[in-house]
Amino acid sequence: MRVEPLSGELDVSNGTWALSERSLLQPVWDYLQQNHEGTLRSPLFPVVLSVSTYLVLVLFYTVMDLLAPTWPSIRRYQIHQDRTVTWSNIGTTLALTTYNHLLYIFPAAVAQWLWRPPVPLPREAPTVSAFLLGVVGCTVVFDFQYYLWHLLHHRVGWLYRTFHALHHQYRQPFSLVTQYLSAWELFNVGFWATADPLLLQCHCLTAWAFMIFNVWVSTEDHCGYDFPWAMHRLIPFGLWGGALRHDAHHQQPGTNFAPFFAHWDWLGGTATMPPPTKTKTKRERDEKAA
């Protein structure tokens, strides 16, 4: 005779699964609170985390840019193999990024540090499911927000000329172009990245993970490389935009407005996916001619 499981047994099983989920992140969260609670509670921490992540990523990609002309193993992954990122390009983009951070980001962070009380930290870590769903949820919401903002700032001429045209000075983006932005655009991007985890009531650990993920994929979109580990290669069915699609946006500014996913551009009829430009470098052409 087949014996049906009792509801109590199901509850125990579900409780065990929930406990197992929570136990995966709880030791990490306990360690962070016990050893770095003062740092984590500071209103400056999210700013430092975001800026540090960005600097590490652009340093990596900038080194790749400087090595690419003489290292074929790197150059082969460039979307535009005839492109050379010069020290002048680096200086110009880095100067504006530094200016924006010193004039806008740093004073705003100091104001929060002076006037905002330390952030309370929950004692319990999020479950793995809540953590992952929170990061995905924030990414989806941010993607929709920026898609509308981006579309509007291309369709309305005054908005484009006043706020967004600066970002399009480079038709072949590289990593430092990520934050080659007007103060208005930088403010909007930073506001949504901060507000979306609050809107979705995410755990602060989830909010920080989303912040890192957001900076990572934004930098990857502008990096100018099509590496095998790129997000658009890891996510199937063409659901993710990635560096190739965003590079196409800089080539054809009326297309590919969504920052991360591809579905809004599909639905809006603004999607395009031209083949990557694989132009031989002058050195290769000279070698072939010889």
Side-chain angles (χ1 to χ4, degrees):
M1 182 177 67
R2 185 168 176 269
V3 179
E4 297 292 335
L6 298 176
S7 60
E9 292 174 346
L10 289 175
D11 291 338
V12 170
S13 175
N14 291 336
T16 302
W17 170 250
L19 182 62
S20 177
E21 270 199 299
R22 190 175 302 280
S23 66
L24 291 176
L25 292 177
Q26 192 64 48
V28 177
W29 185 237
D30 289 341
Y31 170 81
L32 291 174
Q33 289 191 98
Q34 292 168 9
N35 295 275
H36 305 286
E37 183 175 7
T39 300
L40 298 178
R41 295 186 65 196
S42 171
L44 285 175
F45 176 70
V47 179
V48 173
L49 181 65
S50 177
V51 172
S52 300
T53 303
Y54 179 70
L55 291 177
V56 169
L57 289 169
V58 296
L59 177 62
F60 168 77
Y61 285 120
T62 301
V63 170
M64 296 296 102
D65 289 333
L66 295 174
L67 294 176
T70 55
W71 287 36
S73 58
I74 298 174
R75 188 175 64 242
R76 62 186 292 219
Y77 294 113
Q78 283 187 306
I79 298 173
H80 301 281
Q81 293 184 6
D82 58 343
R83 181 203 69 183
T84 299
V85 178
T86 65
W87 282 107
S88 176
N89 298 148
I90 294 171
T92 301
T93 51
L94 188 58
L96 181 63
T97 301
T98 304
Y99 173 83
N100 282 337
H101 279 75
L102 290 178
L103 194 66
Y104 302 108
I105 303 300
F106 182 70
V110 171
Q112 284 196 79
W113 178 61
L114 291 175
W115 297 323
R116 182 180 172 185
V119 179
L121 299 178
R123 302 313 303 175
E124 292 189 347
T127 64
V128 175
S129 297
F131 177 82
L132 295 177
L133 287 174
V135 173
V136 172
C138 289
T139 303
V140 171
V141 172
F142 182 95
D143 186 70
F144 177 65
Q145 290 165 333
Y146 191 77
Y147 171 79
L148 293 179
W149 187 98
H150 200 182
L151 181 66
L152 183 66
H153 281 69
H154 273 269
R155 296 293 170 84
V156 179
W158 179 82
L159 291 175
Y160 180 81
R161 292 189 302 271
T162 307
F163 300 115
H164 191 55
L166 177 67
H167 185 65
H168 278 273
Q169 288 184 7
Y170 289 91
R171 295 187 69 249
Q172 298 178 357
F174 53 97
S175 61
L176 279 164
V177 177
T178 307
Q179 292 194 8
Y180 192 72
L181 309 170
S182 66
W184 168 250
E185 185 167 358
L186 183 65
F187 169 79
N188 279 270
V189 170
F191 175 77
W192 293 326
T194 303
D196 289 345
L198 298 175
L199 179 68
L200 298 182
Q201 299 182 343
C202 295
H203 191 282
C204 49
L205 192 63
T206 306
W208 299 331
F210 166 67
M211 186 175 298
I212 293 173
F213 179 74
N214 192 348
V215 173
W216 168 33
V217 294
S218 297
T219 309
E220 184 184 79
D221 276 0
H222 292 85
C223 73
Y225 291 90
D226 184 17
F227 286 123
W229 60 81
M231 283 291 293
H232 70 275
R233 294 191 173 275
L234 300 178
I235 297 179
F237 311 120
L239 297 175
W240 195 259
L244 288 174
R245 289 184 186 272
H246 195 72
D247 184 89
H249 169 71
H250 278 256
Q251 300 292 314
Q252 304 175 45
T255 64
N256 295 349
F257 296 112
F260 303 144
F261 294 102
H263 61 281
W264 290 117
D265 285 301
W266 293 342
L267 295 172
T270 56
T272 187
M273 187 56 189
T277 303
K278 296 294 184 182
T279 308
K280 289 182 179 296
T281 64
K282 183 179 184 300
R283 184 176 182 179
E284 289 174 322
R285 290 195 298 267
D286 292 344
E287 289 175 354
K288 184 177 180 180

